[in-house]
Amino acid sequence: MADQILASLESMGQLLLAMDTGVGLMFGVGVSMSASHLFALLANRLTPRQIFLHMIVDALVLSLAFMVGILCHSLMLMLLEGVPLQPITFANRMGAAMWPGLFYVLVAAPYVSDLIAVTLLSWIHLNVMLLLQAVYDIPLHTSLVVALPGFVLALLLVGLLFAQRWRTSYEMLAREVSALTSP
């Protein structure tokens, strides 16, 4: 049973290698994650231009967060496995791991479910581990150690951006409500 699971995971890693799309997918994931805030932006009655600007800036910041995570993966790979440091090559290879993030727009957090968001981010992390195994022949338990610091760093950066964006949206809504209730 365990051998079948490992064989399935290895074949999934090979499939991810075949569909490598590079760094460009990170911006798509950033746009998808940014679009999950669309409901909050609409609720605050922002203009379409303001919404578009917020989404582009968020997408770039989210893409940067994932790039910082990938740089951390690359550093850990160099330190623990002796693989030469080539962050852009590593990022191009690991780009295929990001594709579940394209579905992040379905989260619309916190309106639908944080469970979907956690599942998608965990799926991305699993894909990175599988690609580390497929590309560098690193066992899954070692790839967990290699990928975990970058994953945690990216999650912290994403969490900070989301918390800041939600706080700003709620403060704007509170100002509008208090302006409407004031005589």
Side-chain angles (χ1 to χ4, degrees), residues 21-183:
T21 55
V23 178
L25 187 59
M26 276 185 236
F27 183 71
V29 171
V31 168
S32 178
M33 294 178 88
S34 176
S36 69
H37 288 154
L38 188 60
F39 296 109
L41 296 173
L42 287 171
N44 286 310
R45 296 188 277 306
L46 295 177
T47 65
R49 183 173 178 229
Q50 290 172 315
I51 290 172
F52 179 75
L53 183 63
H54 277 280
M55 287 181 62
I56 293 299
V57 169
D58 284 355
L60 291 172
V61 171
L62 290 165
S63 300
L64 179 64
F66 283 113
M67 284 299 290
V68 168
I70 284 177
L71 178 62
C72 188
H73 294 330
S74 190
L75 287 170
M76 290 295 291
L77 197 57
M78 183 187 71
L79 292 172
L80 296 177
E81 296 295 318
V83 175
L85 182 63
Q86 299 171 338
I88 194 65
T89 304
F90 183 76
N92 278 325
R93 288 180 178 161
M94 295 298 127
M98 302 295 291
W99 74 268
L102 294 174
F103 300 114
Y104 202 91
V105 69
L106 302 175
V107 173
Y111 297 106
V112 177
S113 172
D114 289 336
L115 179 62
I116 297 170
V118 170
T119 302
L120 290 173
L121 293 171
S122 299
W123 191 359
I124 290 171
H125 184 59
L126 175 64
N127 284 346
V128 169
M129 289 172 45
L130 293 174
L131 281 169
L132 285 171
Q133 181 183 25
V135 173
Y136 299 107
D137 199 29
I138 297 172
L140 283 176
H141 59 86
T142 306
S143 66
L144 176 65
V145 174
V146 169
L148 193 59
F151 179 68
V152 169
L153 182 61
L155 275 182
L156 286 174
L157 293 173
V158 167
L160 286 172
L161 176 70
F162 281 5
Q164 186 273 336
R165 178 64 66 213
W166 285 113
R167 186 180 48 78
T168 302
S169 296
Y170 289 136
E171 286 174 356
M172 185 183 305
L173 188 59
R175 280 193 304 270
E176 287 183 12
V177 168
S178 70
L180 289 174
T181 58
S182 298

